[in-house]
Amino acid sequence: MNAKQWHYALDGEQKGPVSEEDFERLITAGVVGRDTLVWTDGMAAWEALAKVRPDTAPPPTPPPVLSPSSTAIPGAGQAVCAQCGQVVSMEDAVPLAGRMICARCKPLAVQMLKEGVSSVNPQAEQVRREHIGHEASIKSVGELQMLGGILMGLISLFGLYGFVTSNSSRAISVAVVGLVAAGGMSVLFLWNGFGLRQLRPSARRVGAILSVVFMIVGFPIGTIINGYILWLLVSRKGKVVFSDEYQRMIAETPHVKFRTPVYAWVILALFIVGLVLLAAYFA
C-alpha cells in the first residue's frame, strides 16, 4: 500500500500523483474530502473518496476553498489554511468552526462567520474586486434616477394643484398633460432606479433605452452624461455585473465593499438640497 500512488481532482484539475502518506495528510487537512474524485492504479474509473475509502473518508463538512494555484502538501507539525490554502506551522494556525485558519486570515474568517459565510471563493472575490467600482457606479446611477423620480413626482403634484385651483380651461388642459407626463416619468424613474440598485437585467435594458433618448434630447450636456451611463450598462463589465453569476458572487463576498469618495457624498448632498429648494420655490 505504501507504494500506491494517488491522483485527485481539485478545482477541475487533475492533481498528483502523491504517495499514500501524503494522500492521508491531504485527507486529514481537508484538501481531499468525501466528494473529491480520486483514482489509483487498479481502479476502472474516477470515484468519490467516500466510495473508494469509506473507512478513512472524513465526515461531511464544508470543504475548504483553496487557491487554484495551491498544490502544497502539509508536513509534520503543519496545516493547510482553509481560507488561503497556504501551508503554515500548527503554531501559527487556530481552529475556527472546525477548520484550521492561519493568523493572517483569522480577521477575515471571523468576519465571514459573523456574516454567515463559511468560506471565501477566491475566484469570486477576485472578480468582485475587479468589478466593484463599476458596480458602485451603476448603483449610483440608480440612486440619481430615483431622486429624479421624486422630482418628477413633485412636479406632478404641482400640476395637480394647478388643475384643482385654476378656473382657466386652457390652464386645466396644460395641468392635466403635465400631470400625466410627469407622473408617468416619476414612476418609470423610480422603478428603473430601484432596479439598477438591485442590478436587475430588466432595469439594464430600460436604462439603456432611456440613456439613448436623453442623449438625443439633452444635447450637449445630456449627451455626455447619458453616453457615460450607456457605457456603464452595455460595456463588458456592465454585462458581467448584471449577470446571474455575479449575483451569486455578491452573496459569496459580502465583505467586499466599495468606499464612496467624500466628493460623491458632497455632490449628492448638494443635489438633494437643490431638490428641496426647488420644491420650496414652487410651493
Side-chain angles (χ1 to χ4, degrees), residues 143-144 147 263-273:
E143 293 173 354
L144 291 177
L147 288 174
Y263 71 84
W265 290 112
V266 173
I267 294 175
L268 181 60
L270 292 175
F271 186 80
I272 295 175
V273 170

Side-chain angles (χ1 to χ4, degrees), residues 158-181:
F158 296 144
L160 178 62
Y161 175 78
F163 173 76
V164 173
T165 59
S166 177
N167 295 321
S168 170
S169 59
R170 181 176 181 181
I172 292 176
S173 300
V174 172
V176 169
V177 173
L179 173 63
V180 173

Side-chain angles (χ1 to χ4, degrees), residues 128 130-145 193 196-197 199 225 228-233 235 237-238 241-242 246 258-261 263-264:
R128 185 85 192 284
E130 290 175 353
H131 293 76
I132 188 66
H134 206 91
E135 173 191 336
S137 297
I138 291 174
K139 290 182 176 180
S140 297
V141 171
E143 293 173 354
L144 291 177
Q145 285 195 356
L196 291 178
R197 286 284 305 166
L199 301 178
I225 296 175
Y228 171 69
I229 295 175
L230 182 63
W231 173 79
L232 287 175
L233 298 176
S235 65
K237 284 190 175 182
V241 167
F242 281 95
Y246 193 78
F258 180 80
R259 294 184 179 181
T260 304
Y263 71 84

Side-chain angles (χ1 to χ4, degrees), residues 235-248:
S235 65
R236 182 189 62 81
K237 284 190 175 182
K239 293 178 181 179
V240 172
V241 167
F242 281 95
S243 65
D244 294 336
E245 182 70 11
Y246 193 78
Q247 290 286 351
R248 180 186 63 79

Side-chain angles (χ1 to χ4, degrees), residues 142-213:
E143 293 173 354
L144 291 177
Q145 285 195 356
M146 293 177 69
L147 288 174
I150 294 174
L151 177 60
M152 292 293 180
L154 293 175
I155 293 176
S156 65
L157 290 177
F158 296 144
L160 178 62
Y161 175 78
F163 173 76
V164 173
T165 59
S166 177
N167 295 321
S168 170
S169 59
R170 181 176 181 181
I172 292 176
S173 300
V174 172
V176 169
V177 173
L179 173 63
V180 173
M185 291 297 295
S186 174
V187 173
L188 179 61
F189 271 62
L190 286 172
W191 174 85
N192 200 67
F194 182 78
L196 291 178
R197 286 284 305 166
Q198 300 297 316
L199 301 178
R200 295 176 179 173
S202 57
R204 173 175 175 261
R205 293 189 290 269
V206 174
I209 295 174
L210 290 175
S211 297
V212 172
V213 172

Side-chain angles (χ1 to χ4, degrees), residues 7 29 35 38-39 78 90 100 104 110-111 117 141 189 203 206 209 220-221 253 265 280:
H7 300 260
D35 298 326
V38 298
W39 181 89
Q78 294 181 323
M90 290 294 294
M100 298 304 294
R104 183 173 62 88
V110 172
Q111 179 184 353
V117 180
V141 171
F189 271 62
V206 174
I209 295 174
I221 302 299
T253 56
W265 290 112

